[in-house]
Amino acid sequence: MHDQSAEIIFLKKPLPHPLESASIEMKKACRATKRYPSSQELFTRWPNLREASLRLTSLLTLYWPDHRKDGESLLVNCLNAGFAEAEKSISRDNNDLTEQKAFITRVSAELVQCLGLTLMIKRSGLWTIYDPSIEGYLDEIVKSTTSEELTWVKEPHSAFSSAQSELLCASRVFTMNELKLAGLLE
């Protein structure tokens, strides 16, 4: 059992708004950033960043809360920060690689915040702690027939304070080459 007073979000199936495909969910998130036109320009220039953002969308979904900002989606905040940083970098020196690096670095720095909460999943009547390094993406978990309920609690994941936590999270979204470009891999 978990402490309901520490809950941030509680999801019980069936969801009031079922998850759609990652591309539709990503479009919703990009619109929520209020940077939709710049997101589409970035994704047109860099299809690899579109693919990474689709993985990010599958990993978090719009449901994952941002523990730093009450009622906000971590997915929207990750994308918004990435788009803002990419826009700044391209206006500074108009370098395509710098734009990619800025997006990857900023999204990775925001994504680690998913460890600021603990996701609990109820399956077959038993609560288990979600392990981001080995379990599936949240969209798969939400759509799974075995997941009955999900709740995020105000307890940081044990990996949150680890020096490698940013790389751990980013590797679920970005390729090794992208991580190397951003300086996250030596």
Side-chain angles (χ1 to χ4, degrees):
M1 190 64 185
H2 64 281
D3 179 8
Q4 291 183 329
S5 65
E7 285 179 3
I8 293 189
I9 280 188
F10 179 75
L11 296 177
K12 186 174 172 90
K13 290 179 161 181
L15 297 176
H17 305 288
L19 283 178
E20 298 185 65
S21 69
S23 61
I24 291 172
E25 294 291 318
M26 184 176 75
K27 198 174 280 190
K28 291 179 193 175
C30 289
R31 285 199 175 104
T33 68
K34 309 287 191 244
R35 297 176 189 275
Y36 187 74
S38 61
S39 72
Q40 297 313 293
E41 289 175 26
L42 181 77
F43 293 156
T44 299
R45 279 193 302 281
W46 299 108
N48 63 310
L49 297 183
R50 173 186 268 295
E51 291 302 312
S53 295
L54 284 168
R55 286 189 294 275
L56 178 69
T57 301
S58 290
L59 179 65
L60 296 178
T61 76
L62 287 164
Y63 287 115
W64 200 291
D66 189 331
H67 68 98
R68 304 163 298 174
K69 299 172 184 166
D70 198 33
E72 293 190 23
S73 163
L74 183 58
L75 171 62
V76 171
N77 291 342
C78 283
L79 289 171
N80 190 48
F83 297 147
E85 201 62 35
E87 286 172 18
K88 274 194 268 179
S89 77
I90 203 75
S91 68
R92 273 194 309 265
D93 62 11
N94 202 19
N95 180 323
D96 289 344
L97 286 180
T98 303
E99 180 184 36
Q100 277 195 81
K101 180 180 179 178
F103 180 82
I104 295 164
T105 303
R106 191 69 181 121
V107 167
S108 297
E110 290 294 310
L111 177 57
V112 75
Q113 296 301 320
C114 73
L115 298 176
L117 299 171
T118 298
L119 171 59
M120 304 289 294
I121 305 168
K122 187 176 185 182
R123 296 180 180 115
S124 304
L126 300 174
W127 288 98
T128 58
I129 295 175
Y130 170 76
D131 185 336
S133 64
I134 59 170
E135 293 204 48
Y137 287 11
L138 187 58
D139 66 349
E140 297 165 352
I141 293 167
V142 168
K143 290 176 182 176
S144 167
T145 56
T146 62
S147 304
E148 301 163 8
E149 299 174 29
L150 293 91
T151 190
W152 285 263
V153 292
K154 295 177 187 176
E155 170 105 12
H157 192 279
S158 59
F160 189 47
S161 57
S162 167
Q164 292 84 26
S165 60
E166 185 174 337
L167 179 60
L168 169 79
C169 294
S171 68
R172 302 288 312 267
V173 172
F174 296 104
T175 65
M176 293 298 174
N177 285 339
E178 290 164 344
L179 295 172
K180 193 168 177 85
L181 171 68
L184 293 171
L185 282 178
E186 295 303 318

